Amino acid sequence: MQPASIKALFAGTIFLSAFLLFLVQPLVAKQILPWFGGSAAVWSVCMVFFQVALLAGYAYADWISRRLQPRTQAKVHGALLLASLAFMPVLADASWKPGGGEEPTLRILGLLVATIGLPYFLLSTTGPLVQAWITRTPWGAQVYRYFSLSNLASLAALLCYPVLIEPHSTVQQQAWAWSAGYGVFVLLCSATAFYVAGRWPAAIQVVAPSGDAPAPAASPETKPRLIDQLLWLLLPALGSWLLLAVTNHVTQNVAPVPFLWVLPLSVYLLTFILSFESDRWYRRAVVLPLTAAMLALCAYGLQDSIGSHLRTGLPIYLVGLFLLCLCLHGETARLRPGPSYLTRFYLMLSLGGAAGGALVGLVAPHVLPTFYELGIGLVLCALAAALVWRHRRMGVLASLAMAACCGWFLAEELRDDARARRMDRNFYGAMMVVDSGILPDDRVRRLYHGATLHGEQYLSPANRRWPGSYYSSSSGVGRAIEAAPAGPRRVGLIGLGAGTLAAYGRPGDVYRVYEINPRVFDLADTEFSYLRDSDARIERVLADARLALEREAPQGFDVLAVDAFSADSVPAHLLTVQAMDIYLRHMKPGGVIAFHVSNRYLRLDTVVAKLAQVRGLHTALIDDTPDEVDVERSIWMLVARDPQALEREPVRSAATQHEAAADLAPWTDDFNNLFSVLR
């Protein structure tokens, strides 16, 4: 083979493996989402699996490259590659679908192991293992460029999936296409392993060609110092910490825009690409002063309004993330070892990334009352700088001063939040209860989930049973309940919030509430009084609403309010044809399903209209913009089998017709895409 062909084989194997690695993550998670519900929970558990599998792959690469001879490595890895083909296609078996009552976390992890366990593990090994093989070739001095290439492939997959792949194919088509790509990867990786083992069974001395990336800073014979190995772990951990912390901040406190999480992850991967492609991108004299300034600005933004507005907060935190991660990854690249320690280096990077992600993604929700991890991460970055500059007194002093500055702004954020009546956080997000108003009759208590209002209540005895915010008597759901038959009513609520809709309950009525988050029930009971003040009988179901409704006998609802959508986290499995069929099974012949589709970023009304069209249902859109100061504008789409159900007052006088978009495909469990309904 010609040198160009050999390099193309190396590059193609690494690029394809990284591309498939990032592509399978949203593919599989999207596939199982309708089975388990609760998008935040499902995606978080999947991310834990992916990080652990990646770490295991790096550990395997480190072990096999150190313990086995090249020819033995090729045989072992080749056998595993062939065995992994038994997992194709990567479609989850329906037997993993929960029947109810199981622990979802363990079931999801077991499903992932059974569906993509070995293929994902082998894809994870490819980057460090193939690079270890490359160090045996005459092009070993360029090995770290291949790490940059793998991150470029990851970025390409990240951007391609929501833009090019998801909108134009079903989950099943995606799984078969991915499996075909994996078959090509098996051929490339096997060819690489056996070719290198046969041609270069022993490492050879390499010299960096002119114009190429510089040779590693340390020679193969130089054992890295303990402090350097500690920094291999610490710096990537802080990068991963900042990635998740900034993502949480911009999606919860700046703007809950769908797909906004793509931007921080793209910035994060870009800094890896630049740092390991060449030393020319990370220049301390230029980058460090800019980073110090952005570090202070990001910390200041935590307790100032500039950090919570889309036009100012988003640029500040994306630029800050870019510069901070460029420093962290640039300093990591400066510490890269010689070829003998390459796989150990990547293992420590992976361990650090997994540790940082686990601390923010798994630990923080249980130990921090709200999203304080960004402020903590900024302080830790400044302290890490003191460790990097440990041999320069002025550098240490400047770093400690910056840490003190960030710590002061974090303390200011804590003092501001201390004014809240209650803050609560768990796996499903952060909630805050805030009181406002001066006069007794004007005192209002509000419940926020992130930056989204989820209900409010007047505190005075005379007004506390008045339904406000999105649920007033002029809203779509208020009108639907008032238009229901005069006798005892059975009302279903998907999503509780503050419990406002219980205010419509009358003696003899039954209100059945489906809520996935136990803390919401607790807040509704202790901080608000709608549930205990209601004249209706309240039934509670702590579960994902769709899974619960699938298991239950028909409930015979007069009204079913579907109110579980927020701007950045839309549980799409509640807006599919299959979900609509489940809702219809639980409705009385003249019943009305009320979808709360108020959203600044998504046209969810068009999704509901298309579902109704597909199933031959009738719709009425009620866009309520009341004159009252304390009533939020709300948009509700009412759906019914019987058109007469939407002709009753007070629905008929406020309803407008909504035609389904001709170019919008109906959402199903196998195909749904938020990009198609972005405003």
Side-chain angles (χ1 to χ4, degrees):
M1 294 179 66
Q2 297 298 318
S5 300
I6 299 171
K7 289 183 178 181
L9 178 62
F10 296 153
T13 302
I14 290 176
F15 187 94
L16 183 58
S17 70
F19 188 86
L20 293 173
L21 190 73
F22 254 65
L23 201 60
V24 77
Q25 298 179 14
L27 190 161
V28 173
K30 183 181 178 70
Q31 181 185 158
I32 66 175
L33 186 63
W35 295 3
F36 294 91
S39 58
V42 175
W43 283 90
S44 297
V45 173
C46 288
M47 285 304 299
V48 171
F49 169 82
F50 296 140
Q51 288 184 322
V52 172
L54 186 68
L55 178 60
Y58 277 39
Y60 163 85
D62 181 62
W63 179 85
I64 194 174
S65 63
R66 288 176 172 273
R67 301 291 183 178
L68 303 181
Q69 294 299 316
R71 288 188 174 88
T72 307
Q73 293 178 34
K75 293 177 182 178
V76 171
H77 202 65
L80 290 175
L81 288 169
L82 288 176
S84 69
L85 293 175
F87 285 73
M88 302 298 111
V90 286
L91 287 167
D93 192 272
S95 62
W96 285 99
K97 189 173 181 179
E102 304 94 337
E103 162 53 45
T105 299
L106 295 178
R107 196 168 186 86
I108 292 172
L109 292 175
L111 182 156
L112 293 172
V113 170
T115 305
I116 60 169
L118 187 56
Y120 192 90
F121 169 78
L122 291 173
L123 288 171
S124 301
T125 70
T126 304
L129 190 57
V130 173
Q131 289 178 63
W133 294 338
I134 293 173
T135 61
R136 299 178 175 278
T137 74
W139 306 283
Q142 305 171 36
V143 65
Y144 285 101
R145 275 191 166 178
Y146 290 95
F147 183 65
S148 179
L149 178 67
S150 70
N151 282 283
L152 179 62
S154 301
L155 179 60
L158 170 69
L159 298 178
C160 282
Y161 186 80
V163 178
L164 300 178
I165 297 174
E166 187 185 26
H168 305 293
S169 57
T170 66
V171 171
Q172 190 170 47
Q173 291 170 339
Q174 295 168 26
W176 278 102
W178 188 93
S179 300
Y182 185 80
V184 175
F185 159 75
V186 169
L187 293 176
L188 290 177
C189 193
S190 300
T192 301
F194 285 99
Y195 184 79
V196 172
R199 183 72 179 274
W200 294 290
I204 62 176
Q205 186 67 35
V206 295
V207 179
S210 176
D212 280 336
S219 68
E221 293 77 20
T222 303
K223 182 177 181 180
R225 296 171 299 175
L226 181 61
I227 186 63
D228 290 340
Q229 296 186 54
L230 176 62
L231 290 173
W232 293 353
L233 177 71
L234 176 62
L235 299 179
L238 288 174
S240 179
W241 179 304
L242 287 178
L243 166 65
L244 295 183
V246 168
T247 301
N248 286 340
H249 182 77
V250 299
T251 57
Q252 297 290 331
N253 301 323
V254 176
V257 181
F259 304 109
L260 195 58
W261 59 269
V262 172
L263 294 179
L265 184 53
S266 300
V267 166
Y268 174 82
L269 291 173
L270 180 61
T271 62
F272 262 122
I273 294 169
L274 296 178
S275 298
F276 285 87
E277 192 278 332
S278 170
D279 285 344
R280 66 177 179 270
W281 297 109
Y282 175 61
R283 298 182 182 275
R284 279 179 168 178
V286 176
V287 176
L288 287 180
L290 294 175
T291 304
M294 287 306 302
L295 183 65
L297 184 58
C298 288
Y300 173 74
L302 294 176
Q303 50 84 51
D304 188 85
S305 60
I306 67 166
S308 58
H309 291 302
L310 181 62
R311 292 185 178 181
T312 53
L314 188 59
I316 286 173
Y317 288 105
L318 289 182
V319 173
L321 178 67
F322 174 78
L323 290 172
L324 284 165
C325 285
L326 185 62
C327 280
L328 293 167
H329 298 150
E331 291 295 334
T332 305
R334 289 171 64 93
L335 297 171
R336 57 190 184 272
S340 299
Y341 296 93
L342 180 141
T343 55
R344 179 61 52 83
F345 175 64
Y346 287 139
L347 175 61
M348 296 296 283
L349 259 65
S350 176
L351 180 59
L359 287 172
V360 176
L362 299 181
V363 178
H366 298 286
V367 300
L368 299 178
T370 190
F371 295 101
Y372 291 135
E373 51 265 32
L374 179 54
I376 296 172
L378 297 176
V379 174
L380 293 177
C381 284
L383 293 176
L387 185 60
V388 172
W389 291 93
R390 61 192 178 279
H391 298 306
R392 299 188 180 182
R393 183 179 179 184
M394 290 303 299
V396 172
L397 293 177
S399 300
L400 294 178
M402 185 60 67
C405 174
C406 293
W408 188 84
F409 285 125
L410 175 60
E412 287 294 302
E413 183 186 14
L414 294 173
R415 281 192 286 270
D416 288 342
D417 287 344
R419 301 168 187 169
R421 175 178 174 83
R422 182 170 171 183
M423 293 189 297
D424 211 329
R425 184 180 180 186
N426 66 358
F427 194 58
Y428 299 100
M431 290 159 288
M432 180 180 292
V433 178
V434 179
D435 288 352
S436 62
I438 300 175
L439 299 177
D441 289 344
D442 293 333
R443 296 283 290 171
V444 178
R445 180 165 297 167
R446 294 184 173 91
L447 173 64
Y448 290 92
H449 187 283
T452 304
L453 178 67
H454 275 221
E456 64 183 19
Q457 182 178 30
Y458 276 97
L459 299 181
S460 66
N463 297 323
R464 72 181 191 181
R465 299 188 66 168
W466 178 75
S469 62
Y470 311 105
Y471 313 102
S472 69
S473 58
S474 61
S475 68
V477 69
R479 292 173 184 270
I481 294 175
E482 291 295 331
R489 298 164 181 162
R490 189 166 180 84
V491 178
L493 308 178
I494 297 179
L496 175 62
T500 311
L501 287 175
Y504 289 99
R506 308 167 307 165
D509 290 349
V510 176
Y511 277 59
R512 187 171 179 83
V513 182
Y514 299 86
E515 173 59 54
I516 196 172
N517 188 350
R519 299 288 178 84
V520 174
F521 274 125
D522 177 52
L523 291 174
D525 286 334
T526 59
E527 302 298 325
F528 301 88
S529 65
Y530 285 120
L531 294 182
R532 64 176 178 268
D533 287 344
S534 179
D535 292 325
R537 176 162 60 90
I538 306 297
E539 297 179 349
R540 305 173 183 228
V541 180
L542 180 61
D544 174 74
R546 178 167 166 179
L547 292 178
L549 289 169
E550 282 181 349
R551 296 191 298 264
E552 292 177 348
Q555 294 295 311
F557 291 127
D558 293 289
V559 177
L560 175 62
V562 185
D563 184 28
F565 314 122
S566 60
D568 69 319
S569 180
V570 175
H573 70 298
L574 297 179
L575 284 174
T576 65
V577 173
Q578 292 82 359
M580 182 67 82
D581 290 340
I582 294 171
Y583 303 150
L584 291 173
R585 185 172 67 87
H586 290 277
M587 304 303 297
K588 289 180 179 178
V592 173
I593 308 172
F595 291 88
H596 190 187
V597 294
S598 305
N599 198 293
R600 287 177 292 174
Y601 308 106
L602 297 170
R603 295 178 290 111
L604 297 179
D605 52 331
T606 63
V607 178
V608 177
K610 178 61 71 171
L611 297 179
Q613 182 187 66
V614 169
R615 285 297 180 253
L617 306 173
H618 303 274
T619 63
L621 181 71
I622 298 181
D623 187 343
D624 180 42
T625 308
D627 296 329
E628 292 92 339
V629 175
D630 293 318
V631 176
E632 302 287 337
R633 179 196 177 192
S634 66
I635 304 175
W636 291 82
M637 178 72 83
L638 308 184
V639 179
R641 285 195 187 98
D642 184 358
Q644 294 303 314
L646 304 178
E647 291 296 325
R648 296 193 291 260
E649 291 294 350
V651 171
R652 184 177 63 83
S653 59
T656 59
Q657 293 302 312
H658 187 287
E659 296 295 332
D663 58 345
L664 178 66
W667 284 12
T668 67
D669 289 347
D670 196 43
F671 178 83
N672 51 79
N673 177 241
L674 292 178
F675 262 114
S676 62
V677 293
L678 281 174
R679 293 190 184 278

